[in-house]
Amino acid sequence: MMTDSNPTHFLDIDDVSRDELLTILDRASEYKRAQRAGDDHAALEDRTLGMIFQKPSTRTRVSFETGMTQLGGHAVFLGEDDIQLGRGEPLKDTSRTLSRYVDAVMARVFKHENIEVLAEYSSVPVVNGLTDDAHPCQTLADLLTIREHEDGFDGVSAAWVGDGNNVAQSFALGCALTDIDLTVATPDGYDIDDEVLERARALGGDPTISTDPVDAVTDADIIYTDVWISMGQEDERDVRMDDFEGFQVCSDLLEHAPDASVMHCLPAHRGEEITDAVIEGDRSIIFDQAENRLHAQKALLSWLLE
C-alpha cells in the first residue's frame, strides 16, 4: 500500500484537465484492446480498492471489482451495514482508517458533501462512484463510447433529453472538456444546476438550454437520456410522470435525428424515458456504453495510482 499526503481525487469529471482526460481515454482504449486480445495488462498488482456503497449498484460494483481483478489487484466491497459507517462512525474516521489499509477508495453515496469529506481526510485517491450531484465515472464511459462511434470528438453534437440529474451534470462538463456541442432539453424545474453550467462555460463549453426535446435532438449525433425517477424519488413518481410527458426517447423523436446514436446509462425504465424498441434498435449503443464502464474505470484507477 502507498499513501500520499496530497493524493489526486476524482470527485467530478472536471477534476482532470482536457489533456489528462484524453490520456485516461487513450489508456482505456488500450486496456479494451488488451482484454479482447487476451493480453496481460496487470498494472495494479497487489493493490487494493476499498468500495463503499450507500446506494445499490449493478454496473458500478461489477465493473470496479472486475476491473481491479483484471489489473492484478483486489477490491473489497464495503456496504454501509457491513462497516461501522452504518453504526454512526463519522465519515472522516472511516476515511482515515481505510487510508491505512487500501490504495484507493471508491464510494457510491447520496450526498455529494459525503464524498468531499472522504476525500478531505483520505491519504489515498478517492473516486466518486456516484453522488446525487455527479457521476463522473459514467461520463468517462460516455466519452469513450462517443469517441469510438464518432471517430473522435471533432464536430460532434449531443442532445440530453430528460432530467437534469447527476448524470446530465457530469456529462455537460465532459462535453465542455471535449468540445462536444451539447443541447440540454429538460422540463421546467428539472434543469441542470446553474453552478454546473457556469463550470462548463469556464471550461470553454456553451451548452444550449431548452425545454423542447424535438428542437434539442434535431440533427444531433448523440441522443442521451436517463430515468425520470431516480433512487430516493419514488414518492414523486406521479408528479414526475406528468412533468416529463413528451420527453420520451422514442421512434418518433428519432425521426428528427436520422443519423443519431442513442445512449442511456442504465438501468432503464423501459416504456418511460425510453422505449423498448429504441433500446433494442440498431441505433442503440447503450450496451457498448455499459461495457466501457469497465475499461474507463481501469484506466482511471491505474492513472490515479501511478
Side-chain angles (χ1 to χ4, degrees):
M1 183 190 68
M2 298 176 64
T3 61
D4 183 350
S5 60
N6 189 29
T8 298
H9 303 300
F10 187 68
L11 308 188
D12 210 341
I13 194 73
D14 56 342
D15 282 346
V16 297
S17 68
R18 176 185 171 89
D19 286 345
E20 289 169 335
L21 173 60
L22 294 177
T23 295
I24 294 167
L25 294 179
D26 287 344
R27 186 173 301 188
S29 296
E30 292 170 9
Y31 285 163
K32 188 172 185 175
R33 286 192 293 269
Q35 181 192 343
R36 291 188 169 185
D39 295 337
D40 177 69
H41 53 291
L44 295 181
E45 288 186 287
D46 300 321
R47 300 293 190 94
T48 301
L49 173 69
M51 306 189 303
I52 298 173
F53 283 86
Q54 288 184 326
K55 285 186 173 186
S57 167
T58 299
R59 278 148 291 276
T60 298
R61 178 177 179 178
V62 176
S63 57
F64 270 107
E65 194 162 334
T66 301
M68 281 300 291
T69 300
Q70 292 179 354
L71 290 171
H74 179 64
V76 180
F77 175 81
L78 303 167
E80 187 176 36
D81 293 333
D82 300 322
I83 57 177
Q84 294 301 323
L85 189 63
R87 297 174 178 86
E89 181 174 59
L91 277 168
K92 61 184 180 181
D93 291 358
T94 298
S95 182
R96 285 184 289 201
T97 302
L98 286 179
S99 296
R100 306 293 182 102
Y101 299 149
V102 302
D103 298 282
V105 173
M106 185 280 297
R108 183 177 171 92
V109 298
F110 286 94
K111 295 179 180 179
H112 193 77
E113 64 191 56
N114 288 347
I115 200 84
E116 294 174 332
V117 170
L118 286 169
E120 180 181 357
Y121 289 93
S122 177
S123 57
V124 300
V126 172
V127 174
N128 180 359
L130 177 143
T131 67
D132 287 346
D133 292 347
H135 199 354
C137 289
Q138 181 64 56
T139 300
L140 284 179
D142 299 340
L143 295 174
L144 180 61
T145 306
I146 291 171
R147 190 172 72 165
E148 289 174 345
H149 283 270
E150 298 296 327
D151 196 26
F153 297 118
D154 290 346
V156 174
S157 63
W160 177 274
V161 178
D163 190 10
N165 60 13
N166 49 1
V167 178
Q169 296 193 149
S170 289
F171 184 64
L173 296 170
C175 287
L177 278 167
T178 51
D179 297 326
I180 293 173
D181 182 15
L182 175 66
T183 300
V184 177
T186 65
D188 287 330
Y190 295 93
D191 318 62
I192 288 176
D193 286 349
D194 288 342
E195 183 265 342
V196 173
L197 294 175
E198 290 173 6
R199 285 159 58 195
R201 293 179 182 118
L203 294 168
D206 188 20
T208 300
I209 307 302
S210 173
T211 57
D212 184 346
V214 171
D215 182 61
V217 306
T218 298
D219 298 327
D221 300 304
I222 300 292
I223 298 173
Y224 195 171
T225 192
D226 190 14
V227 295
W228 297 339
I229 304 154
S230 298
M231 284 180 282
Q233 298 173 338
E234 290 80 6
D235 59 344
E236 303 173 22
R237 178 177 180 81
D238 291 344
V239 172
R240 283 176 170 263
M241 291 298 290
D242 287 341
D243 290 347
F244 283 94
E245 185 176 356
F247 282 79
Q248 184 184 71
V249 175
C250 58
S251 299
D252 288 347
L253 188 65
L254 294 191
E255 290 180 2
H256 300 277
D259 298 318
S261 298
V262 177
M263 296 171 60
H264 191 302
C265 59
L266 299 178
H269 295 168
R270 296 182 183 222
E272 292 183 9
E273 77 279 357
I274 191 169
T275 62
D276 189 79
V278 170
I279 292 177
E280 300 297 342
D282 57 9
R283 294 165 67 180
S284 168
I285 56 175
I286 291 169
F287 294 99
D288 292 342
Q289 183 186 0
E291 177 190 346
N292 281 339
R293 289 288 303 276
L294 172 66
H295 310 300
Q297 287 161 186
K298 287 194 295 185
L300 172 66
L301 290 169
S302 68
W303 180 79
L304 287 170
L305 290 172
E306 281 185 334

